[in-house]
Amino acid sequence: RVAMWSPESGYDEGCWGGAVECWEVQWSTVAQLTYAVGATEFSELTQELWNARAFVFVIFGLWVETELLIVQAFERGVGGDGYVWILSEASCGDSLTVEDSNLTTHELNAILRGLLCVEPFYNTSTQAYLEFAERWESQPSTLDEDTGECGAEVDAVGSPLWRWTAQAAKLTNYDVCIGGNFTIADLTHRHALAYDAAYVVARALHELLEVEGREEVVGAELRDAMLAQNFTGASGAVAFDSVGDRSEGIKYEVLNHVGNSSLQRVAMWSPE
């Protein structure tokens, strides 16, 4: 019995996708819950989790909200031994830091033992990745040289180029600065994946518009052209199966808390 939980944002689509996957492996999805981005109080949601009598929870969201939900759910009797929380990489954190919780260290560790995080993994020593990292580092900073704060530049209509308000960002409850100093230390696995994703779209459009000379392209044609891409990207070999899942060049680390330590790899998974 599985319950899904995600913010009221683009993560919902991933949650529905997860529900489909659960159906395919004959899991029983008994609840699909959403919350407002930036929420800190989840009494109604945790009551729904209790009512659902689920023992496996799949979470799409941010750790800052996920840890609050997990602790509040435990206080209501959902969590600990016999329960499993499967978290997307954005939902995953190394420790529970909720200061106003009345839980003991033993109880917090019991919760952590039930967390499974899934994160993408790829080789960062390949020539393609090193060239990508070099291009990343060559970008001009989006921060103000004097103050170190987000640059105040605007576009032709007066909209900020780098500074997004919490309302505009939608996925957070705080202001966001796009970019930064672009140092190698700032690179995460998300950057290479995003770069390759954009490259897939660019290559597909190039083939349709420049090579085939199309004057217009409908969505299905672009999709088919994207799925036909096969190249070596920053994150490794890029290719897709018939339903659009990446079929090459990507692995996933399965992370879990071992004893009282931080997250450690307990397994690797690959679609190949």
Side-chain angles (χ1 to χ4, degrees):
R1 295 172 63 84
V2 178
M4 305 283 178
W5 188 76
S6 68
E8 297 169 349
S9 66
Y11 280 109
D12 284 341
E13 297 179 7
C15 197
W16 280 113
V20 171
E21 294 297 325
C22 288
W23 177 80
E24 289 179 349
V25 297
Q26 298 182 342
W27 287 0
S28 174
T29 305
V30 294
Q32 176 144 357
L33 311 176
T34 60
Y35 68 93
V37 174
T40 59
E41 204 282 321
F42 301 106
S43 59
E44 292 186 7
L45 279 176
T46 55
Q47 181 61 56
E48 290 187 61
L49 290 178
W50 170 260
N51 294 339
R53 294 297 190 268
F55 295 94
V56 178
F57 308 95
V58 180
I59 299 182
F60 300 83
L62 300 176
W63 176 244
V64 66
E65 294 145 349
T66 297
E67 68 167 338
L68 290 172
L69 171 79
I70 290 174
V71 168
Q72 291 177 29
F74 185 88
E75 292 172 335
R76 188 174 287 272
V78 179
D81 294 338
Y83 291 85
V84 177
W85 303 82
I86 301 176
L87 313 181
S88 64
E89 53 92 16
S91 306
C92 194
D94 272 350
S95 61
L96 291 172
T97 57
V98 182
E99 297 179 355
D100 60 352
S101 168
N102 295 320
L103 302 182
T104 65
T105 300
H106 175 77
E107 290 172 327
L108 291 175
N109 287 333
I111 298 172
L112 290 173
R113 285 196 298 272
L115 300 188
L116 285 176
C117 297
V118 181
E119 294 190 349
F121 175 85
Y122 52 82
N123 189 347
T124 58
S125 63
T126 64
Q127 186 63 30
Y129 181 85
L130 294 176
E131 291 175 355
F132 158 72
E134 183 178 355
R135 290 192 293 273
W136 164 271
E137 198 172 27
S138 68
Q139 297 178 97
S141 174
T142 61
L143 304 181
D144 187 277
E145 293 183 3
D146 297 323
T147 66
E149 297 180 354
C150 199
E153 293 86 353
V154 297
D155 61 18
V157 297
S159 298
L161 287 174
W162 318 121
R163 189 192 307 271
W164 282 19
T165 64
Q167 181 178 7
K170 294 183 180 179
L171 290 180
T172 64
N173 59 350
Y174 48 85
D175 292 350
V176 174
C177 184
I178 305 302
N181 283 324
F182 298 106
T183 65
I184 295 299
D186 294 328
L187 275 177
T188 70
H189 59 265
R190 301 179 194 176
H191 293 101
L193 293 171
Y195 180 86
D196 285 346
Y199 203 55
V200 166
V201 178
R203 285 171 58 101
L205 286 173
H206 174 79
E207 291 179 6
L208 292 170
L209 300 177
E210 300 297 327
V211 178
E212 298 182 14
R214 303 283 189 90
E215 294 186 358
E216 61 180 34
V217 176
V218 298
E221 293 171 332
L222 177 59
R223 177 201 61 208
D224 292 344
M226 290 170 60
L227 295 185
Q229 296 304 309
N230 191 321
F231 63 93
T232 299
S235 62
V238 177
F240 303 94
D241 62 22
S242 60
V243 297
D245 290 332
R246 188 165 172 178
S247 59
E248 295 183 19
I250 191 69
K251 296 180 179 180
Y252 295 90
E253 291 183 292
V254 180
L255 308 174
N256 183 235
H257 285 267
V258 180
N260 296 332
S261 63
S262 60
L263 287 168
Q264 296 183 24
R265 181 197 298 176
V266 294
M268 294 288 292
W269 181 86
S270 171
E272 297 177 6

